[in-house]
């Protein structure tokens, strides 16, 4: 069950330095509010601004197709049991063409619904998340499908979103009401017992 109280409260907008507010301009919801994760990390404004530079590459300039990137991010959210990350990226994944059935399948390792490069991406995500390395078989399969820049972006994506998941879980960042409602439609699947 997700935690209901944050360990670190989001910083009020009036208390965020102007330079950081400028960097957060694109990170607002439909109501114009800064997303909770970024308002929380604004407690360290210099680090947040630097973190956003890398995050902008991973989310916006990544050489992986958006669908592939979102499958990887949702798998990380499931592996880390990061509710906020899962709910935010359910919305993004839907826009990238990932179906609700595919989203649900991400909580079932080795699900036969994924084939080819997507199966390899998910296997790579699992290995990178758990061991910070890839075995030769997964590397070979990825190498057959991905360009060098895409391989690098895969590692960057896993690292970025594993870091985001750690922040979400450690600081108990709570989802905004407009994404919390997705818990009823597409809740974060419970981890499987192996």
């Amino acid at each position: 069950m997700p935690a209901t109280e944050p360990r670190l409260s989001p910083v009020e907008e009036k208390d965020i330095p102007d330079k950081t507010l400028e960097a957060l301009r694109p990170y607002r919801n439909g109501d114009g509010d800064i997303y909770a994760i970024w308002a929380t990390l604004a407690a360290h404004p210099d680090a947040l601004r630097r973190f956003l530079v890398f995050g902008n590459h991973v989310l916006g300039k990544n050489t992986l197709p958006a669908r592939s990137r979102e499958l990887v991010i949702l798998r990380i959210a499931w592996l880390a049991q990061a509710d906020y990350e899962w709910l935010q990226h359910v919305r993004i994944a839907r826009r990238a063409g990932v179906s609700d059935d595919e989203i649900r399948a991400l909580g079932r390792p080795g699900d036969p619904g994924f084939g080819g490069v997507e199966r390899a991406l998910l296997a790579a995500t699992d290995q990178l998340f758990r061991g910070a390395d890839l075995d030769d078989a997964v590397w070979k399969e990825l190498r057959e499908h991905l360009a060098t820049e895409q391989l690098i972006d895969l590692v960057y994506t896993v690292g970025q979103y594993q870091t985001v998941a750690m922040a979400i879980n450690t600081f108990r960042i709570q989802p905004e009401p407009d994404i919390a409602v997705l818990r009823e439609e597409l809740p974060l699947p419970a981890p499987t017992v192996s």
Side-chain angles (χ1 to χ4, degrees), residues 54-81:
F54 185 69
N56 284 334
H57 170 79
V58 172
L59 191 60
K61 295 178 176 55
N62 200 320
T63 58
L64 292 171
R67 176 185 163 84
S68 298
R69 180 198 69 221
E70 290 306 313
L71 291 173
V72 167
I73 293 168
L74 284 170
R75 181 61 146 240
I76 293 163
W78 174 71
L79 288 166
Q81 289 293 287

Side-chain angles (χ1 to χ4, degrees), residues 49-125:
R49 284 194 322 278
R50 290 174 182 96
F51 188 69
L52 288 173
V53 172
F54 185 69
N56 284 334
H57 170 79
V58 172
L59 191 60
K61 295 178 176 55
N62 200 320
T63 58
L64 292 171
R67 176 185 163 84
S68 298
R69 180 198 69 221
E70 290 306 313
L71 291 173
V72 167
I73 293 168
L74 284 170
R75 181 61 146 240
I76 293 163
W78 174 71
L79 288 166
Q81 289 293 287
D83 185 58
Y84 184 99
E85 185 170 67
W86 175 267
L87 296 172
Q88 276 286 10
H89 283 275
V90 161
R91 294 189 318 175
I92 298 168
R94 284 173 163 172
R95 290 193 301 262
V98 182
S99 73
D100 286 359
D101 286 341
E102 290 171 320
I103 291 169
R104 285 183 194 94
L106 290 166
R108 297 189 304 266
D111 186 88
F114 295 102
V117 69
E118 290 181 346
R119 185 183 63 247
L121 284 167
L122 295 174
T125 301

Side-chain angles (χ1 to χ4, degrees), residues 7 32 38 44 52 54 69 101 109 121 126 151 179:
R7 285 181 171 160
W38 307 122
H44 191 336
L52 288 173
F54 185 69
R69 180 198 69 221
D101 286 341
L121 284 167
D126 292 355
L151 291 163
I179 67 162

